[in-house]
Amino acid sequence: MTRLTRRQREIFNFLRDNHHSFTRPPSLDELCRALGMASRGSLYRQIMALIAAGLVEPFTCHKHGGIRLTGQAQGPDAIGEQGLPFIGKIAAGKPIEALENVNYMAVPDVLKTDKSCYVLQVKGDSMIEAGIFDGDWVVIEQRDYASNGEIVVALIENSEATLKYIEQTPGQILLLPANAGMTALSYCPEQVEIQGVLVGQMRSYRSHHPL
Amino acid sequence: MTRLTRRQREIFNFLRDNHHSFTRPPSLDELCRALGMASRGSLYRQIMALIAAGLVEPFTCHKHGGIRLTGQAQGPDAIGEQGLPFIGKIAAGKPIEALENVNYMAVPDVLKTDKSCYVLQVKGDSMIEAGIFDGDWVVIEQRDYASNGEIVVALIENSEATLKYIEQTPGQILLLPANAGMTALSYCPEQVEIQGVLVGQMRSYRSHHPL
DNA sequence: TCCCCTTGTTCTCATTTTGTTCTTATTTTG
DNA sequence: CAAAATAAGAACAAAATGAGAACAAGGGGA
């Protein structure tokens, strides 16, 4: 593979950085305009050089193909994020039930933060009045502190985990369920370890009505 | 499978982003108007290409056909975007408030189906007892029928859209809110058009400031 | 029943777009 | 200065596209 000329590198960089802003795949005319060139034929020759270098897919369909980067050329931007790790299930009164194989869920950006997040599945109805139902998934930001009123994953006495509203006063931590049938629990700070804070919640209605 | 032509991709994207705003599966004539085309025959040829590519379901019954996307159509394919289109907001009593720029949200597989899906944001509290709050996002499978007990996006009198439980009996359709302060509404089948069925729901707890 | 309208379907024809090639002039580079 | 790189622009063929006519099947209404 012959070495790229300066202009070829320049055009390739432009392609790599801007290919998403064109009506996919861009045509030669379109790129000419974007690059400020007036001649389609000239651009064509440059593109052919990139094809020879293996950076751009050849025009397969002969006509109206458009310009596509080759797999080897795509930057890290093309590699989709793999999502958040789905860790296990959380049920009030038990330790978090970890999965043997962690797998990853795609999660919309609005449901997570820029901090470290993970996903748990909720077991039980202790937060039902907060709109968090049995079987829902929750996105948790990993953190060891919380503000009053936030919903937290708390580890009690190093043994049981739970998802509850938190209210902290000096010397006392209240963990409040959102379920009229359940009672709040009071602990001293040493008994409770905050493991994370709720930042997102998801529910599937699919299983209710299989095809 | 041959590669899509530029215009074919353009038309497909239009379909993918706007299928929610048509009465049922749109007919060729309807799409022509929406796309600014004058010839049904020309559009037909393009759609056939999309069918050949597996992106659109073939016209099944010769009549009453209409254009539907296949499940594969929203795969990471879509050539570029991944995730589901975020279409707009739905508030009981109003038409769906469409966004000018459709954008895409990564959505976990469990919250969607292999059919054509899209995302709406809920405005209002009519489904609050079903755990769907103001500001939540819902994943909707595009479909023009539903089973009793499902939560549907229904278009009433061709003007207002709403998200409600549905109960269908011969000659009557009930749309039930999940809010003790609201009353169920009864319609004849001709007044109600089902546009989709709820398959997933999402909520963000991040401090309520948009981007 | 008949009539009219809509729907998908098929074809033809003219126009536009796109890749492709070549010649020529200009700029860059060693 | 000479060679290479680059750009402009003309010209061309094939592909893509759109318009429009025409047709058959079905639905709905009078």
Side-chain angles (χ1 to χ4, degrees):
Chain A
M1 138 173 134
T2 59
R3 187 162 173 73
L4 292 191
T5 69
R6 170 184 321 186
R7 182 60 168 150
Q8 283 156 13
R9 167 115 286 156
E10 206 174 309
I11 291 178
F12 170 69
N13 286 341
F14 180 87
L15 246 41
R16 174 183 14 76
D17 298 341
N18 298 85
H19 66 88
H20 49 272
S21 64
F22 289 101
T23 73
R24 267 167 293 270
S27 69
L28 288 176
D29 273 1
E30 217 172 343
L31 281 182
C32 273
R33 252 171 286 133
L35 283 161
M37 295 176 65
S39 166
R40 204 185 338 160
S42 304
L43 214 211
Y44 176 78
R45 183 154 42 89
Q46 305 287 37
I47 298 284
M48 287 313 274
L50 294 182
I51 290 176
L55 293 174
V56 166
E57 284 188 17
F59 299 104
T60 44
C61 77
H62 196 235
K63 303 291 174 184
H64 282 211
I67 284 116
R68 291 163 187 275
L69 297 185
T70 213
Q72 117 188 29
Q74 328 234 27
D77 58 278
I79 292 123
E81 278 189 49
Q82 74 181 136
L84 299 183
F86 173 36
I87 299 291
K89 301 178 181 179
I90 179 170
K94 299 180 186 171
I96 287 181
E97 180 184 333
L99 297 171
E100 58 292 350
N101 322 341
V102 172
N103 46 13
Y104 292 83
M105 307 176 70
V107 170
D109 292 338
V110 283
L111 296 204
K112 54 191 181 188
T113 66
D114 54 355
K115 304 288 166 41
S116 176
C117 292
Y118 57 93
V119 176
L120 295 175
Q121 190 171 27
V122 176
K123 288 295 166 193
D125 293 324
S126 66
M127 295 304 286
I128 200 169
E129 288 159 18
I132 300 172
F133 295 175
D134 183 75
D136 284 5
W137 285 270
V138 286
V139 181
I140 306 295
E141 177 185 317
Q142 192 166 27
R143 210 204 290 166
D144 60 6
Y145 59 93
S147 305
N148 286 340
E150 285 186 313
I151 297 174
V152 302
V153 173
L155 184 64
I156 303 168
E157 303 276 21
N158 259 306
S159 61
E160 44 182 278
T162 187
L163 188 71
K164 295 283 190 308
Y165 282 112
I166 193 168
E167 287 294 336
Q168 304 157 100
T169 56
Q172 173 180 255
I173 291 183
L174 276 178
L175 294 178
L176 309 158
N179 185 326
M182 299 183 180
T183 57
L185 297 175
S186 169
Y187 297 93
C188 12
E190 302 78 42
Q191 294 178 286
V192 176
E193 177 186 327
I194 296 173
Q195 295 199 314
V197 175
L198 177 70
V199 293
Q201 175 265 152
M202 305 177 290
R203 183 183 309 143
S204 172
Y205 286 82
R206 236 169 30 165
S207 48
H208 305 253
H209 293 276
L211 323 181
Chain B
M1 143 172 135
T2 59
R3 215 154 54 180
L4 289 192
T5 246
R6 151 107 52 121
R7 184 89 234 261
Q8 284 156 12
R9 167 126 275 119
E10 209 174 304
I11 291 177
F12 169 69
N13 286 341
F14 180 88
L15 247 40
R16 176 200 346 81
D17 296 344
N18 299 89
H19 61 77
H20 68 281
S21 63
F22 290 101
T23 73
R24 320 286 192 179
S27 69
L28 288 176
D29 274 359
E30 217 171 341
L31 278 182
C32 273
R33 252 170 287 132
L35 283 161
M37 294 176 65
S39 166
R40 204 185 339 160
S42 302
L43 214 211
Y44 177 78
R45 189 175 354 124
Q46 306 286 40
I47 298 286
M48 287 312 275
L50 295 183
I51 292 177
L55 294 174
V56 166
E57 285 186 15
F59 299 104
T60 45
C61 63
H62 191 65
K63 304 299 165 186
H64 275 184
I67 284 116
R68 298 160 188 272
L69 298 184
T70 66
Q72 140 186 15
Q74 74 233 16
D77 170 13
I79 311 304
E81 281 88 3
Q82 62 227 9
L84 299 183
F86 173 36
I87 297 296
K89 300 177 181 178
I90 181 171
K94 298 180 188 172
I96 288 181
E97 180 185 335
L99 298 171
E100 57 294 350
N101 317 339
V102 173
N103 48 11
Y104 294 80
M105 305 177 69
V107 170
D109 292 339
V110 284
L111 295 205
K112 54 191 183 187
T113 67
D114 55 352
K115 301 289 165 38
S116 178
C117 293
Y118 57 95
V119 175
L120 295 174
Q121 190 170 28
V122 176
K123 287 295 167 192
D125 293 325
S126 66
M127 295 303 286
I128 200 171
E129 288 160 18
I132 300 173
F133 295 175
D134 183 75
D136 283 6
W137 286 270
V138 286
V139 181
I140 305 296
E141 177 184 316
Q142 189 202 5
R143 211 203 287 166
D144 58 8
Y145 59 91
S147 306
N148 286 339
E150 283 185 313
I151 297 174
V152 302
V153 173
L155 185 64
I156 303 168
E157 302 277 19
N158 259 306
S159 62
E160 44 182 277
T162 188
L163 187 72
K164 295 281 188 310
Y165 282 113
I166 193 168
E167 287 293 335
Q168 304 157 101
T169 57
Q172 174 180 254
I173 292 184
L174 277 177
L175 296 178
L176 309 159
N179 184 327
M182 299 183 180
T183 57
L185 296 174
S186 170
Y187 297 93
C188 16
E190 302 79 40
Q191 294 176 288
V192 176
E193 178 187 324
I194 297 174
Q195 295 199 315
V197 175
L198 176 71
V199 294
Q201 175 265 158
M202 305 179 290
R203 182 182 310 141
S204 172
Y205 285 83
R206 284 193 329 195
S207 29
H208 301 294
H209 49 62
L211 33 155

Short mmCIF file of all heavy atoms in Angstrom, two decimals, chain A residues 64-106:
data_model
loop_
_atom_site.label_atom_id
_atom_site.label_comp_id
_atom_site.label_asym_id
_atom_site.label_seq_id
_atom_site.Cartn_x
_atom_site.Cartn_y
_atom_site.Cartn_z
N HIS A 64 -24.07 5.17 -8.17
CA HIS A 64 -24.85 5.62 -7.03
C HIS A 64 -24.46 4.92 -5.75
O HIS A 64 -25.27 4.65 -4.91
CB HIS A 64 -26.35 5.39 -7.29
CG HIS A 64 -26.91 6.42 -8.19
ND1 HIS A 64 -28.20 6.84 -8.11
CD2 HIS A 64 -26.34 7.12 -9.17
CE1 HIS A 64 -28.40 7.76 -9.04
NE2 HIS A 64 -27.29 7.94 -9.69
N GLY A 65 -23.23 4.56 -5.69
CA GLY A 65 -22.79 3.86 -4.50
C GLY A 65 -22.63 4.78 -3.33
O GLY A 65 -23.20 4.59 -2.28
N GLY A 66 -21.88 5.80 -3.50
CA GLY A 66 -21.58 6.68 -2.39
C GLY A 66 -20.31 6.21 -1.71
O GLY A 66 -19.81 5.13 -1.96
N ILE A 67 -19.79 7.08 -0.86
CA ILE A 67 -18.49 6.82 -0.25
C ILE A 67 -18.65 6.29 1.17
O ILE A 67 -19.32 6.89 1.99
CB ILE A 67 -17.65 8.12 -0.24
CG1 ILE A 67 -17.12 8.38 -1.64
CG2 ILE A 67 -16.49 7.99 0.72
CD1 ILE A 67 -17.61 9.60 -2.28
N ARG A 68 -18.05 5.15 1.41
CA ARG A 68 -18.09 4.58 2.75
C ARG A 68 -16.69 4.27 3.22
O ARG A 68 -15.88 3.75 2.46
CB ARG A 68 -18.85 3.25 2.74
CG ARG A 68 -20.29 3.38 2.50
CD ARG A 68 -20.81 2.00 2.11
NE ARG A 68 -22.19 2.08 1.70
CZ ARG A 68 -23.19 2.04 2.55
NH1 ARG A 68 -22.95 1.91 3.83
NH2 ARG A 68 -24.41 2.15 2.12
N LEU A 69 -16.48 4.52 4.49
CA LEU A 69 -15.20 4.14 5.07
C LEU A 69 -15.18 2.63 5.24
O LEU A 69 -16.20 2.00 5.46
CB LEU A 69 -15.03 4.81 6.44
CG LEU A 69 -14.96 6.32 6.39
CD1 LEU A 69 -14.66 6.85 7.78
CD2 LEU A 69 -13.92 6.78 5.41
N THR A 70 -14.01 2.12 5.15
CA THR A 70 -13.83 0.71 5.34
C THR A 70 -13.77 0.43 6.84
O THR A 70 -13.56 1.33 7.64
CB THR A 70 -12.52 0.31 4.65
OG1 THR A 70 -12.64 -0.98 4.14
CG2 THR A 70 -11.37 0.44 5.58
N GLY A 71 -14.02 -0.83 7.20
CA GLY A 71 -14.04 -1.14 8.63
C GLY A 71 -12.77 -0.71 9.32
O GLY A 71 -12.80 -0.10 10.38
N GLN A 72 -11.66 -0.99 8.70
CA GLN A 72 -10.37 -0.69 9.32
C GLN A 72 -10.18 0.80 9.58
O GLN A 72 -9.36 1.20 10.40
CB GLN A 72 -9.25 -1.21 8.43
CG GLN A 72 -8.33 -0.12 7.90
CD GLN A 72 -7.36 -0.65 6.87
OE1 GLN A 72 -7.63 -1.61 6.16
NE2 GLN A 72 -6.19 -0.03 6.81
N ALA A 73 -10.98 1.62 8.88
CA ALA A 73 -10.76 3.05 8.97
C ALA A 73 -11.55 3.73 10.07
O ALA A 73 -11.22 4.82 10.49
CB ALA A 73 -11.07 3.71 7.63
N GLN A 74 -12.63 3.07 10.49
CA GLN A 74 -13.51 3.75 11.43
C GLN A 74 -12.82 3.94 12.77
O GLN A 74 -12.24 3.04 13.31
CB GLN A 74 -14.77 2.94 11.66
CG GLN A 74 -15.15 2.17 10.46
CD GLN A 74 -16.56 2.45 10.04
OE1 GLN A 74 -17.07 3.52 10.31
NE2 GLN A 74 -17.18 1.51 9.40
N GLY A 75 -12.99 5.10 13.29
CA GLY A 75 -12.40 5.41 14.58
C GLY A 75 -13.18 4.77 15.70
O GLY A 75 -14.14 4.05 15.45
N PRO A 76 -12.74 5.03 16.91
CA PRO A 76 -13.41 4.47 18.06
C PRO A 76 -14.84 4.98 18.16
O PRO A 76 -15.68 4.38 18.83
CB PRO A 76 -12.58 4.98 19.23
CG PRO A 76 -11.82 6.15 18.68
CD PRO A 76 -11.62 5.87 17.24
N ASP A 77 -15.14 6.07 17.46
CA ASP A 77 -16.49 6.61 17.55
C ASP A 77 -17.51 5.64 16.98
O ASP A 77 -18.66 5.65 17.36
CB ASP A 77 -16.57 7.93 16.79
CG ASP A 77 -16.18 7.75 15.33
OD1 ASP A 77 -14.98 7.74 15.07
OD2 ASP A 77 -17.07 7.58 14.50
N ALA A 78 -17.08 4.79 16.08
CA ALA A 78 -18.02 3.88 15.45
C ALA A 78 -18.38 2.72 16.38
O ALA A 78 -19.41 2.09 16.22
CB ALA A 78 -17.45 3.34 14.16
N ILE A 79 -17.50 2.45 17.31
CA ILE A 79 -17.77 1.34 18.21
C ILE A 79 -18.76 1.78 19.28
O ILE A 79 -18.44 2.61 20.12
CB ILE A 79 -16.48 0.82 18.86
CG1 ILE A 79 -15.64 0.17 17.78
CG2 ILE A 79 -16.79 -0.14 19.97
CD1 ILE A 79 -14.28 0.73 17.64
N GLY A 80 -19.93 1.23 19.22
CA GLY A 80 -20.97 1.63 20.15
C GLY A 80 -20.57 1.27 21.57
O GLY A 80 -19.84 0.32 21.81
N GLU A 81 -21.05 2.03 22.51
CA GLU A 81 -20.80 1.68 23.89
C GLU A 81 -21.48 0.37 24.20
O GLU A 81 -22.50 0.05 23.62
CB GLU A 81 -21.34 2.78 24.80
CG GLU A 81 -20.40 3.94 24.95
CD GLU A 81 -20.88 4.88 26.03
OE1 GLU A 81 -21.19 4.39 27.11
OE2 GLU A 81 -20.96 6.08 25.75
N GLN A 82 -20.92 -0.35 25.11
CA GLN A 82 -21.52 -1.63 25.34
C GLN A 82 -22.57 -1.60 26.45
O GLN A 82 -23.10 -2.62 26.82
CB GLN A 82 -20.45 -2.67 25.64
CG GLN A 82 -19.84 -2.53 27.03
CD GLN A 82 -18.77 -3.56 27.27
OE1 GLN A 82 -17.74 -3.28 27.79
NE2 GLN A 82 -19.07 -4.79 26.87
N GLY A 83 -22.88 -0.46 26.96
CA GLY A 83 -23.96 -0.36 27.93
C GLY A 83 -23.49 -0.56 29.36
O GLY A 83 -22.30 -0.57 29.65
N LEU A 84 -24.45 -0.74 30.27
CA LEU A 84 -24.12 -0.87 31.68
C LEU A 84 -24.19 -2.32 32.10
O LEU A 84 -24.99 -3.10 31.58
CB LEU A 84 -25.12 -0.05 32.52
CG LEU A 84 -25.14 1.46 32.25
CD1 LEU A 84 -26.11 2.14 33.20
CD2 LEU A 84 -23.75 2.05 32.37
N PRO A 85 -23.38 -2.68 33.08
CA PRO A 85 -23.40 -4.07 33.54
C PRO A 85 -24.66 -4.35 34.35
O PRO A 85 -25.03 -3.56 35.22
CB PRO A 85 -22.14 -4.15 34.41
CG PRO A 85 -21.87 -2.76 34.84
CD PRO A 85 -22.34 -1.88 33.73
N PHE A 86 -25.30 -5.44 34.04
CA PHE A 86 -26.44 -5.91 34.82
C PHE A 86 -25.90 -6.87 35.86
O PHE A 86 -25.46 -7.97 35.56
CB PHE A 86 -27.46 -6.58 33.90
CG PHE A 86 -28.59 -7.23 34.64
CD1 PHE A 86 -29.11 -6.68 35.80
CD2 PHE A 86 -29.14 -8.42 34.17
CE1 PHE A 86 -30.15 -7.28 36.48
CE2 PHE A 86 -30.19 -9.04 34.84
CZ PHE A 86 -30.68 -8.47 36.00
N ILE A 87 -25.93 -6.41 37.14
CA ILE A 87 -25.20 -7.09 38.20
C ILE A 87 -25.97 -8.22 38.85
O ILE A 87 -25.44 -9.29 39.11
CB ILE A 87 -24.83 -6.07 39.30
CG1 ILE A 87 -23.95 -4.97 38.74
CG2 ILE A 87 -24.17 -6.76 40.46
CD1 ILE A 87 -22.59 -5.43 38.36
N GLY A 88 -27.24 -7.96 39.15
CA GLY A 88 -27.98 -8.99 39.87
C GLY A 88 -29.32 -8.46 40.36
O GLY A 88 -29.80 -7.44 39.89
N LYS A 89 -29.89 -9.16 41.31
CA LYS A 89 -31.21 -8.78 41.81
C LYS A 89 -31.12 -8.29 43.25
O LYS A 89 -30.32 -8.77 44.03
CB LYS A 89 -32.15 -9.99 41.76
CG LYS A 89 -32.29 -10.54 40.35
CD LYS A 89 -33.18 -11.77 40.31
CE LYS A 89 -33.27 -12.31 38.88
NZ LYS A 89 -34.09 -13.52 38.79
N ILE A 90 -31.99 -7.33 43.53
CA ILE A 90 -32.01 -6.80 44.89
C ILE A 90 -33.41 -6.99 45.47
O ILE A 90 -34.40 -6.59 44.88
CB ILE A 90 -31.58 -5.32 44.94
CG1 ILE A 90 -31.63 -4.80 46.37
CG2 ILE A 90 -32.46 -4.46 44.03
CD1 ILE A 90 -30.99 -3.44 46.53
N ALA A 91 -33.48 -7.62 46.62
CA ALA A 91 -34.74 -7.83 47.32
C ALA A 91 -34.55 -7.39 48.76
O ALA A 91 -33.54 -7.72 49.37
CB ALA A 91 -35.15 -9.30 47.26
N ALA A 92 -35.51 -6.65 49.25
CA ALA A 92 -35.38 -6.16 50.61
C ALA A 92 -35.15 -7.32 51.57
O ALA A 92 -35.83 -8.34 51.51
CB ALA A 92 -36.64 -5.39 51.01
N GLY A 93 -34.15 -7.19 52.42
CA GLY A 93 -33.92 -8.19 53.44
C GLY A 93 -32.94 -9.26 53.06
O GLY A 93 -32.65 -10.15 53.84
N LYS A 94 -32.43 -9.20 51.83
CA LYS A 94 -31.45 -10.22 51.43
C LYS A 94 -30.23 -9.53 50.87
O LYS A 94 -30.29 -8.37 50.46
CB LYS A 94 -32.03 -11.14 50.35
CG LYS A 94 -33.26 -11.91 50.79
CD LYS A 94 -33.74 -12.78 49.64
CE LYS A 94 -35.07 -13.46 50.00
NZ LYS A 94 -35.66 -14.13 48.84
N PRO A 95 -29.13 -10.24 50.79
CA PRO A 95 -27.99 -9.66 50.08
C PRO A 95 -28.32 -9.57 48.59
O PRO A 95 -29.22 -10.26 48.12
CB PRO A 95 -26.86 -10.67 50.33
CG PRO A 95 -27.43 -11.78 51.11
CD PRO A 95 -28.89 -11.55 51.32
N ILE A 96 -27.59 -8.73 47.90
CA ILE A 96 -27.79 -8.67 46.45
C ILE A 96 -27.44 -10.01 45.84
O ILE A 96 -26.39 -10.58 46.14
CB ILE A 96 -26.93 -7.55 45.83
CG1 ILE A 96 -27.52 -6.19 46.21
CG2 ILE A 96 -26.86 -7.71 44.33
CD1 ILE A 96 -26.77 -5.02 45.64
N GLU A 97 -28.37 -10.50 45.06
CA GLU A 97 -28.17 -11.81 44.45
C GLU A 97 -27.42 -11.62 43.14
O GLU A 97 -28.00 -11.21 42.14
CB GLU A 97 -29.55 -12.44 44.21
CG GLU A 97 -29.54 -13.81 43.60
CD GLU A 97 -30.98 -14.24 43.33
OE1 GLU A 97 -31.89 -13.78 44.04
OE2 GLU A 97 -31.18 -15.03 42.40
N ALA A 98 -26.15 -11.87 43.17
CA ALA A 98 -25.33 -11.59 42.00
C ALA A 98 -25.51 -12.66 40.94
O ALA A 98 -25.75 -13.82 41.24
CB ALA A 98 -23.86 -11.51 42.42
N LEU A 99 -25.39 -12.22 39.71
CA LEU A 99 -25.44 -13.17 38.60
C LEU A 99 -24.06 -13.78 38.42
O LEU A 99 -23.05 -13.14 38.67
CB LEU A 99 -25.86 -12.45 37.33
CG LEU A 99 -27.26 -11.83 37.36
CD1 LEU A 99 -27.46 -10.96 36.13
CD2 LEU A 99 -28.31 -12.92 37.42
N GLU A 100 -24.05 -15.01 37.98
CA GLU A 100 -22.75 -15.60 37.71
C GLU A 100 -22.10 -14.97 36.49
O GLU A 100 -20.94 -14.62 36.47
CB GLU A 100 -22.87 -17.12 37.56
CG GLU A 100 -23.81 -17.62 36.48
CD GLU A 100 -25.27 -17.30 36.81
OE1 GLU A 100 -25.54 -16.86 37.96
OE2 GLU A 100 -26.11 -17.43 35.93
N ASN A 101 -22.91 -14.75 35.44
CA ASN A 101 -22.36 -14.05 34.27
C ASN A 101 -22.95 -12.65 34.19
O ASN A 101 -24.12 -12.51 33.95
CB ASN A 101 -22.71 -14.75 32.96
CG ASN A 101 -22.68 -16.25 33.07
OD1 ASN A 101 -22.07 -16.77 33.99
ND2 ASN A 101 -23.35 -16.92 32.16
N VAL A 102 -22.11 -11.69 34.37
CA VAL A 102 -22.57 -10.32 34.17
C VAL A 102 -22.84 -10.11 32.69
O VAL A 102 -22.05 -10.52 31.85
CB VAL A 102 -21.48 -9.33 34.64
CG1 VAL A 102 -21.87 -7.91 34.26
CG2 VAL A 102 -21.27 -9.45 36.12
N ASN A 103 -23.97 -9.53 32.39
CA ASN A 103 -24.14 -9.10 31.00
C ASN A 103 -24.48 -7.62 30.94
O ASN A 103 -24.70 -6.99 31.96
CB ASN A 103 -25.17 -9.95 30.26
CG ASN A 103 -26.41 -10.14 31.06
OD1 ASN A 103 -26.61 -9.45 32.06
ND2 ASN A 103 -27.26 -11.04 30.63
N TYR A 104 -24.54 -7.11 29.76
CA TYR A 104 -24.61 -5.66 29.59
C TYR A 104 -25.91 -5.25 28.91
O TYR A 104 -26.36 -5.91 27.98
CB TYR A 104 -23.40 -5.16 28.79
CG TYR A 104 -22.13 -5.32 29.58
CD1 TYR A 104 -21.46 -6.54 29.63
CD2 TYR A 104 -21.62 -4.25 30.31
CE1 TYR A 104 -20.31 -6.69 30.39
CE2 TYR A 104 -20.47 -4.39 31.06
CZ TYR A 104 -19.81 -5.62 31.10
OH TYR A 104 -18.68 -5.75 31.85
N MET A 105 -26.51 -4.18 29.40
CA MET A 105 -27.74 -3.67 28.81
C MET A 105 -27.46 -2.30 28.21
O MET A 105 -26.80 -1.47 28.83
CB MET A 105 -28.83 -3.51 29.87
CG MET A 105 -29.10 -4.75 30.69
SD MET A 105 -30.32 -4.44 32.01
CE MET A 105 -31.82 -4.23 31.04
N ALA A 106 -28.02 -2.09 27.04
CA ALA A 106 -27.98 -0.73 26.48
C ALA A 106 -28.91 0.14 27.31
O ALA A 106 -30.04 -0.23 27.56
CB ALA A 106 -28.42 -0.75 25.03
#
